[in-house]
Amino acid sequence: MTWNTSVAARILRVNHGGEHGAICIYSAQIAAARFRAPDFLPFLNEALAHERDHRARFRSLMPSRQGKPCRMMWIWAVGGAGLGLISGVLGREAILACTEAVERTVHRHLDDQIRWTSSRDHELRSTIEAIQIEEQEHIRHAVSHRRGRDFAWLESAIAHATEALIWLSTRGDSTRLARQLAPDAAV
Ligand SMILES: [Fe+2]
Ligand SMILES: [Fe+2]
């Protein structure tokens, strides 16, 4: 396995796990939104369909890069369902705060990855870019529907929880990977 292949495989593992987490968050929010914010269901269902497609696309790029899904997928399932349920039960503003926090955190990781893949793995880069466009739509939707910053504390807690989930599911590899993807890292 070359160095580039191994970094690509690790990017795919983190992203695939993250998409699984997003699926669990939106699924739990859909369950709660039926009672708390039924008018949010069309957006939540559409976002869930996007996340399922993202997970499948990252999974499909794994074999050619000797990549495998992370073994700690259950962490994403538990963490994602927890975040989704808590925000869903708290209602519409909390759901939007959750979407914004999770998607912004994911975004930062994708930006680093796009920069790293640009001269090394065009297929992976174009997949990440296409997915990032849909993640941007999710952020835009959340931002445009929020009425205030009532759940700033929740947003910050969720951003930290998302980073912790990414870190835990990769057993710390996300930190090393971020360092390797940094623009001034030695390559
Ligand atoms: Fe996604
Ligand atoms: Fe998303």
Side-chain angles (χ1 to χ4, degrees), residues 33-182:
R34 285 188 217 288
F35 307 99
R36 300 286 286 136
D39 55 315
F40 276 16
L41 288 173
F43 165 76
L44 294 173
N45 279 311
E46 191 193 356
L48 177 61
H50 286 162
E51 309 302 0
R52 285 197 170 125
D53 177 58
H54 300 168
R55 184 179 64 180
R57 291 171 76 175
F58 284 131
R59 182 70 185 89
S60 73
L61 296 181
M62 284 181 174
S64 54
R65 291 162 184 79
Q66 285 101 59
K68 284 196 186 97
C70 77
R71 276 175 287 171
M72 314 272 273
M73 293 290 267
W74 64 270
I75 288 182
W76 285 106
V78 173
L83 293 180
L85 262 186
I86 291 166
S87 57
V89 167
L90 288 171
R92 48 205 319 126
E93 282 298 309
I95 290 175
L96 295 171
C98 178
T99 302
E100 192 176 338
V102 171
E103 301 282 3
R104 280 199 198 285
T105 307
V106 167
H107 237 264
R108 278 195 296 279
H109 286 271
L110 298 186
D111 279 340
D112 290 345
Q113 296 169 3
I114 287 169
R115 199 173 44 238
W116 185 86
T117 50
S118 57
S119 59
R120 297 174 179 93
D121 188 332
H122 292 289
E123 188 184 29
L124 179 53
R125 182 202 162 137
S126 56
T127 301
I128 295 172
E129 282 177 334
I131 287 173
Q132 197 184 34
I133 289 171
E134 289 182 343
E135 309 294 15
Q136 260 156 358
E137 280 174 35
H138 302 165
I139 295 180
R140 256 197 300 275
H141 176 275
V143 171
S144 67
H145 285 77
R146 284 186 78 176
R147 297 200 189 108
R149 291 275 142 187
D150 283 358
F151 282 96
W153 61 271
L154 183 68
E155 200 179 325
S156 159
I158 289 176
H160 284 103
T162 306
E163 287 289 4
L165 281 176
I166 293 172
W167 193 89
L168 269 178
S169 77
T170 60
R171 282 164 296 167
D173 191 40
S174 62
T175 311
R176 289 189 293 276
L177 190 57
R179 247 184 257 134
Q180 281 177 296
L181 301 187

